Amino acid sequence: MLGERLAAALGAARDGAAGIESFAHLLGSRRVGPRGVALALPEVCEGCAALVVALDSLSSAVRDGFVETGSAVAADVAAADAACAVLGHAGVEVARLTDELSRAAAGASPARGAGRGRADRGGSERGIDARQRLGLEASVRRTARELSGALRLSELVIATLELRPTPLDLIDVLRNWSAAPAEGRPVVGISVASSDGRANEVEGDVRAVSGLMELAVGMVSAAGVASPHLTVSRLSDGRSMVRIAERGPREGAPAVALDVVLRDGGERAAAVARVVARRARIELVEATGGRVVTMTF
């Protein structure tokens, strides 16, 4: 079981991220008028400020979980660094949003108190105008996406503290990924070819295996591969290898074609992929300027 401190910090960060997601939906709702948005702003600002603290606490808990003396697992500074880099970037993004929302709240705070004239009330009830609202919605959704990605990456690293290997079918893992939509994330079509049905059968922690395949597709996409092609094969030593690259002109018809949500493919995500692969004992190799990634199980 995860330590109580780490679990509590992760829960607080998730709650804060959910609050930002909810505010994004509120901004996009036609049922909520300008005054309703203005009334919500102070509470959202407080929630964002608390989330910055929660992300910092989570970062500290993650670092202690991987490097604390006397831990049940060997110290792994690289794993802590990878997760903390992701969380630190998210904290900067939330702090930016907090400042932006605070300025909006200061300029749109509805006046309170009885006895005001209609003219005074009219000015206070306007809240924020349509242009400002659209700008806020875009900014809040940007932060929500950043947070979603950061928490997903950090949770992937955290999962390696307690790996639970089980028999897996790689094609099933890919299908489950394609069935998980994510608002605001681009979708990319991938094709999968398997020369040996036994090659699809591996043993591993489903969180690590699924997360690594998502990150690997993101890595080759970031390197310029428009339609990633996954080739699953069985090596002479009995291990299974997944090769992700551009589909070659002589490739046979794919066994499976899926539309999947494209996840982060930047350097922070790549650092997480390397850490997770190492800890899960999956051989991860990047080649050809990042346009080819192989994973051997």
Side-chain angles (χ1 to χ4, degrees), residues 99-238:
D99 290 341
E100 183 176 351
L101 295 180
S102 296
R103 291 193 299 271
S109 297
R112 298 180 182 274
R116 293 186 177 273
R118 177 175 296 179
D120 291 335
R121 289 199 305 272
S124 70
E125 291 175 358
R126 282 194 296 270
I128 62 173
D129 61 33
R131 179 181 297 180
Q132 186 182 15
R133 180 170 181 164
L134 286 173
L136 282 179
E137 182 182 356
S139 187
V140 171
R141 290 192 182 280
R142 165 187 155 182
T143 301
R145 286 193 299 271
E146 291 281 349
L147 270 172
S148 174
L151 289 178
R152 188 174 182 85
L153 289 173
S154 61
E155 288 173 11
L156 185 54
V157 177
I158 291 170
T160 66
L161 286 170
E162 296 177 350
L163 290 169
R164 299 190 289 269
T166 59
L168 301 173
D169 184 295
L170 292 175
I171 302 299
D172 287 344
V173 171
L174 287 169
R175 286 198 174 102
N176 288 336
W177 171 21
S178 69
E183 184 177 352
R185 291 283 182 181
V187 173
V188 64
I190 65 171
S191 55
V192 186
S194 178
S195 58
D196 183 344
R198 294 175 303 167
N200 301 335
E201 301 169 0
V202 301
E203 184 165 310
D205 185 296
V206 66
R207 299 164 298 175
V209 173
S210 176
L212 272 177
M213 287 203 287
E214 292 182 22
L215 290 176
V217 169
M219 289 159 67
V220 299
S221 296
V225 175
S227 300
H229 180 65
L230 284 70
T231 304
V232 185
S233 58
R234 195 171 184 85
L235 303 179
S236 59
D237 60 7

Side-chain angles (χ1 to χ4, degrees), residues 31-117:
R31 297 180 179 180
V32 181
R35 181 171 169 79
V37 173
L39 287 170
L41 276 170
E43 183 177 349
V44 177
C45 288
E46 292 178 6
C48 285
L51 179 54
V52 172
V53 176
L55 289 169
D56 186 60
S57 296
L58 177 57
S59 185
S60 297
V62 167
R63 184 165 296 282
D64 289 347
F66 280 99
V67 304
E68 185 180 51
T69 304
S71 174
V73 296
D76 193 337
V77 176
D81 287 346
C84 291
V86 167
L87 293 170
H89 176 74
V92 170
E93 175 62 24
V94 176
R96 178 203 64 77
L97 180 64
T98 304
D99 290 341
E100 183 176 351
L101 295 180
S102 296
R103 291 193 299 271
S109 297
R112 298 180 182 274
R116 293 186 177 273

